[in-house]
Amino acid sequence: MKIILILILIQFHFVSNLYSKNWRVNNSPGISADFTTLQAAHDGATEGDSIYVEGSLTNYDNNGTVTISKKLNIIGPGYFLGQNPFTQANKMEAKFNYLNFTTGSEGSSVMGLTVRTIDVNIPDVVVRRNHINTLRLRSESFLVSQNFITWTLSGTNCSGIVTNNIIRYTTINSNSSVSIFNNLFHYTGSNSLDVHNSEVRNNIIYGYTENNLFAGGRNNTVTNNIFRQTGTDSDGNQFGQEVSSIILNEGSEDGKYLLTENSVAKGSGLNGVDCGPFGGDSPYELSGIPPGPSIYEVNAPATASRAEGLPVSIKIYSHP
């Protein structure tokens, strides 16, 4: 009976993958794609489909709200594409104003987009390798990984994992519990990280005048972090570290957060991993390039000849 059940599950998984479909979204004039807006692609897609949003000079969906109420994989080209090597030959980003994950979108993922605001209101959503201004979490079992968050990540009545991100500021309320590993928080005011009931490990934290992580009633477990703030080293935490002793602080928008050759963050994490977004099991990927091969350079002459045809040179880089 068990063998029959396993065979049925394997067959169901195979059939589900067999019938999932990839869709193209592009709103550039003269480009033939399946859809010109993400909302239309969402509405026309089936559960489990993947939607590939291509770079454009124009923001998608008329800068409105895109409501996600199906389980979908949404994939863009990445960001800061002209700043880092081996990104994309087409340097245009896929830009959005607001993505709202609602009931029905459990199990969805979003990757490689530039978005002003993302709201996650249901469980089991993966937000990975995006450039986001504001990310709001109001659910359970989320994974927020390898993102560049320009302003803030806020959590309300939520639980999940926040790992290997570059974030300016994060606040997690008292009804939440979050695992916060291998991030960099670069707000230089009073608090880079203001959280409750959380495990805070292997991070680099810039805040230097005040720190509520250790305040009574916060119930945080704080180990193996690098602090700019002064304090007494304990539990693997190192305090009073200057920025110049930690990161490059020059280069691309996200590349400047790479560790220096002799950074104090190297090997200072739990079990000897590097602290910060480039350490651990899922290191931050520059420009948020999705996994797999990308064409980062194309060379072709403007004209062709009947004898030689059109010689084209393409360079491909495979991203982890």
Side-chain angles (χ1 to χ4, degrees), residues 12-74:
F12 176 78
H13 178 74
F14 174 77
V15 171
S16 297
N17 287 339
L18 182 65
Y19 287 99
S20 63
K21 188 171 181 179
N22 297 334
W23 303 94
R24 284 181 61 207
V25 178
N26 194 313
N27 65 357
S28 300
I31 300 296
S32 177
D34 298 306
F35 300 96
T36 58
T37 71
L38 177 56
Q39 189 66 67
H42 165 278
D43 296 347
T46 302
E47 296 274 339
D49 285 356
S50 295
I51 299 175
Y52 289 85
V53 187
E54 299 171 5
S56 173
L57 292 173
T58 305
N59 285 19
Y60 278 95
D61 292 79
N62 296 316
N63 268 327
T65 298
V66 179
T67 300
I68 311 298
S69 58
K70 299 177 182 177
K71 178 184 177 181
L72 298 171
N73 300 308
I74 303 168

Side-chain angles (χ1 to χ4, degrees), residues 180-182 198-205 213-214 220-227 234-239 268-271 275:
I180 302 173
F181 306 147
N182 280 99
S198 296
E199 184 178 0
V200 182
R201 186 176 74 215
N202 300 353
N203 302 282
I204 297 171
I205 302 169
L213 290 176
F214 302 97
N220 294 309
T221 300
V222 185
T223 61
N224 296 88
N225 301 281
I226 305 296
F227 289 92
S234 63
D235 297 319
N237 297 301
Q238 298 182 50
F239 291 86
S268 293
L270 188 67
N271 298 321
C275 292

